[in-house]
Amino acid sequence: MRRAALALLLLAAGPAVADSNLPPARLAYTQLPNAAQEAQAKALMETLRCLVCQGQSIADSDAEMAGDMRALVRERIARGEQPAAIRSYLIQRYGDYVTYDPPFSWVTAPLWITPLVLLVIGLLLARRLFRKGGA
């Protein structure tokens, strides 16, 4: 019984120690001095998904990894790199899932096709139910 309680305690404490004790990346919470560059960085950050939170963009997430990704975006924008190139780099590094709008490919086809298939099935079921109800 003691071992089970200890295991449960360790499992519950896991998320509390998931982030490191390192300070955040230099540009994670600091805006760029150039307003145009910061606007470019912010626009790009809104289109990138936090890989930890998965439901938030890196602009909105407080996860350590999102902060690192924000810093990377700002550093590269400050060096004059184009947002499309930074986006391509992040997709190459983390996969298509890092974007909210993954490109159509054989790997992402289920993401694009499944909603359409479910819509057609729903319409067919509704049609069938309304026919029975009206007859």
Side-chain angles (χ1 to χ4, degrees):
M1 185 68 175
R2 261 190 177 163
R3 284 187 182 173
L6 181 60
L8 188 60
L9 180 64
L10 288 174
L11 245 132
V17 294
D19 279 343
S20 72
N21 291 330
L22 296 174
R26 186 175 68 84
L27 291 174
Y29 296 99
T30 305
Q31 294 187 353
L32 294 172
N34 182 323
Q37 287 181 331
E38 180 61 26
Q40 278 185 324
K42 193 78 162 167
L44 178 58
M45 288 186 271
E46 292 290 336
T47 68
L48 298 171
R49 182 189 319 264
C50 173
L51 298 174
V52 176
C53 305
Q54 298 179 359
Q56 293 179 304
S57 70
I58 64 170
D60 299 328
S61 174
D62 286 330
E64 186 175 357
M65 184 173 191
D68 292 343
M69 291 172 75
R70 283 192 304 271
L72 181 134
V73 167
R74 284 185 174 120
E75 286 168 6
R76 289 181 167 223
I77 291 282
R79 280 190 258 147
E81 208 170 319
Q82 294 299 313
I86 300 166
R87 182 182 175 91
S88 295
Y89 168 77
L90 290 169
I91 289 172
Q92 182 182 10
R93 185 169 183 181
Y94 298 111
D96 289 328
Y97 189 74
V98 77
T99 66
Y100 280 113
D101 57 344
F104 187 80
S105 69
W106 290 109
V107 175
T108 61
L111 293 172
W112 293 99
I113 295 172
T114 301
L116 297 174
V117 170
L118 292 175
L119 181 65
V120 169
I121 290 171
L123 289 172
L124 292 174
L125 286 172
R127 180 177 169 201
R128 189 174 185 185
L129 288 172
F130 286 129
R131 269 197 186 159
K132 285 184 181 180

